[in-house]
């Protein structure tokens, strides 16, 4: 899920929330996101917080926060519900 946070008070413009199914899957998603943004756009995260063991990793690109969460953690914290007034964007969609 991609949330457009620009019109809401907060700390970022966009929030990406995705699910990993296991510790290795969380690591793979984290590594793939950071690798593709570095290789494709020269962008490095400001910080990476959380651990695979906690079931929640946050990759902070300042304007974009990427949350990689195990299913049960994602359900418990319900970021989409917390920010339910944020418009949802489709991946690959562009704005005018």
């Amino acid at each position: 899920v991609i949330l457009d946070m620009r019109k809401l008070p907060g700390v970022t413009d966009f929030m990406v929330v995705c699910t990993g199914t296991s510790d290795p899957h969380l690591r793979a998603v984290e590594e793939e996101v950071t690798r593709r943004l570095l290789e494709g756009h020269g962008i490095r995260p400001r910080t990476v917080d959380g651990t695979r063991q906690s079931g929640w990793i946050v990759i902070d690109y300042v304007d974009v926060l990427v949350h990689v969460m195990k299913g049960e953690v994602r359900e418990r914290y319900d970021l989409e519900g917390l920010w339910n007034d944020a418009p949802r964007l489709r991946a690959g969609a562009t704005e005018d």
Side-chain angles (χ1 to χ4, degrees):
V1 173
I2 303 170
L3 304 175
D4 184 343
M5 308 292 288
R6 292 176 292 181
K7 294 184 180 176
L8 301 172
V11 297
T12 191
D13 290 342
F14 298 94
M15 188 180 301
V16 178
V17 183
C18 62
T19 302
T21 57
S22 63
D23 291 352
H25 191 211
L26 289 176
R27 182 186 73 236
V29 171
E30 172 196 351
E31 289 174 356
E32 187 70 5
V33 167
T34 56
R35 183 186 67 78
R36 284 188 179 227
L37 286 173
L38 180 59
E39 290 177 1
H41 304 283
I43 301 170
R44 294 180 189 276
R46 181 176 71 177
T47 188
V48 177
D49 201 8
T51 65
R52 293 181 298 277
Q53 293 77 20
S54 73
W56 189 350
I57 299 170
V58 181
I59 310 167
D60 183 352
Y61 287 99
V62 182
D63 295 333
V64 178
L65 290 177
V66 179
H67 296 269
V68 185
M69 310 167 89
K70 284 188 179 174
E72 60 273 12
V73 174
R74 184 172 176 180
E75 188 176 309
R76 181 181 325 126
Y77 289 98
D78 188 24
L79 296 181
E80 296 98 323
L82 180 64
W83 297 103
N84 65 358
D85 47 349
R88 270 66 170 161
L89 302 177
R90 283 187 348 209
T94 60
E95 288 187 359
D96 293 329

